[in-house]
Amino acid sequence: MTPTHVTLVEVGPRDGLQNEAQPVAAADKIELIHRLQAAGCREIEVTSFVSPKWVPQMADNAAVLGGIQRQAGVRYSVLVPNMKGLEAALSAPRSHWPHEVVVFGAASEAFSQKNINCSIEDSIERFRPVVASAHEAGLKVRGAVSCALGCPYQGEVPLDEVERVVRLMRGIGVDHVGIADTIGTGTPRRAQAALERALKHYPLPEVSGHFHDTYGQALANIHASLALGVHVYDTSIAGLGGCPYARGATGNVATEDVVYMLQGMGIDTGHDLAALVDAGAHISRVLGRPPASRAGKALLMRHAQEAA
Ligand code: HMG
Ligand code: MG
């Protein structure tokens, strides 16, 4: 059942950078995206079209999306919470459109209110026209289910609630669903249980895992999810990130760590690990701190020792 190929969706430029307190220049974000595609990333979440009052770091969304020198075979996606976001993402010439948009809901009522300022039911009604319009424009729609393994405000989140949101997303035509551990509290059995609920409503290729690594469980959660055959995961270069509405949560699992583990298991992702490590080191220098990726740090040290 373990897959032989895994698709990684690189979310560093969006999930990774959205929480940075200091402004990061659009040119630095674009440079990161160029390095990521050169390192073999074929799916990149590049920015989000959300309110700049809520998430100032993503206010340069149009400049970033429009500034990328696109590489053939790479798919670019953006987050959109509502029609205003979709319209903004599609206001550029077609050559600058994303290939995919991501709507983001939550399995926790409290988190839905904090993150997108509406109830779960209302969020689905906001997403409905987004999905229809995105499909009319020829774009695929992914849906993220935040707090599927736990909520920073409400704690435990019943699996039935996770399944309810998955079913609602399926009902409005969302093409692909991502089970998200927003605060990284989840452990492998719970990750499997949440994914199993998603798999009741979506075919295997249209289900993914999005695991933040706050409690150091993300690699274990991916390993457990692979056993179910799940073969799409969101990862973040250098382990960057967090969510502005999930205080204390760290970044997504580091892309370098996941690629290192999968290569060791003989599972192909199409990445050049050395180039990824360099991309992680580069953005970490821009941000003024070491990469959070364990494999990234170890490989950088090894290369420095070999060069000495
Ligand atoms: P609201 O205040 O309820 O929206 O925010 P509103 O419709 O009442 O509009 C209020 C103002 O926002 C208006 O401007 C709108 O024009 C503007 P004003 O008249 O006051 O000047 N506005 C917008 N501006 C730009 N782009 C838009 C947009 N929509 C309204 N799309 C809203 C609702 C959803 C907009 C707000 O709550 C928001 O932007 N939230 C963003 C939250 C966010 O980005 N969170 C992080 C990403 S999610 C995440 O990280 C989780 C994930 O990684 C998975 C996981 O780990 O769980 C995906
Ligand atoms: Mg996230």
Side-chain angles (χ1 to χ4, degrees), residues 14-15 18 45 48-55 58 61 79-86 88 102-105 111 113-118 126 144-147 180-183 210 212 234 242-245 252:
R14 193 282 303 172
D15 202 337
Q18 69 183 6
E45 205 170 271
S48 58
F49 284 82
V50 298
S51 163
K53 287 184 192 148
W54 285 61
V55 185
M58 296 284 111
N61 41 33
L79 256 61
V80 292
N82 52 20
M83 278 305 289
K84 192 176 171 80
L86 181 71
V102 184
V103 293
F104 48 106
F111 189 78
Q113 290 289 352
K114 295 272 187 195
N115 195 39
I116 50 174
N117 205 25
C118 65
R126 279 186 190 175
V145 181
S146 288
C147 298
D181 186 7
T182 313
I183 52 171
H210 174 109
H212 285 259
D234 293 354
C243 173
Y245 298 97
N252 275 88

Side-chain angles (χ1 to χ4, degrees), residues 65-86:
L65 186 60
I68 302 165
Q69 279 183 8
R70 296 196 174 199
Q71 189 173 305
V74 178
R75 295 174 59 78
Y76 305 91
S77 57
V78 301
L79 256 61
V80 292
N82 52 20
M83 278 305 289
K84 192 176 171 80
L86 181 71

Side-chain angles (χ1 to χ4, degrees), residues 4-112:
T4 53
H5 179 88
V6 160
T7 299
L8 301 183
V9 180
E10 173 59 52
V11 297
R14 193 282 303 172
D15 202 337
L17 295 179
Q18 69 183 6
N19 207 29
E20 286 297 319
Q22 299 306 317
V24 179
D28 286 325
K29 296 175 181 173
I30 292 166
E31 167 72 16
L32 172 62
I33 293 162
H34 290 164
R35 284 172 182 260
L36 291 168
Q37 58 193 20
C41 298
R42 291 293 166 267
E43 307 247 0
I44 309 179
E45 205 170 271
V46 292
T47 187
S48 58
F49 284 82
V50 298
S51 163
K53 287 184 192 148
W54 285 61
V55 185
Q57 190 63 257
M58 296 284 111
D60 59 3
N61 41 33
V64 172
L65 186 60
I68 302 165
Q69 279 183 8
R70 296 196 174 199
Q71 189 173 305
V74 178
R75 295 174 59 78
Y76 305 91
S77 57
V78 301
L79 256 61
V80 292
N82 52 20
M83 278 305 289
K84 192 176 171 80
L86 181 71
E87 282 158 9
L90 301 188
S91 65
R94 200 180 180 114
S95 58
H96 290 167
W97 283 10
H99 297 92
E100 265 178 35
V101 294
V102 184
V103 293
F104 48 106
S108 140
E109 198 61 59
F111 189 78
S112 180

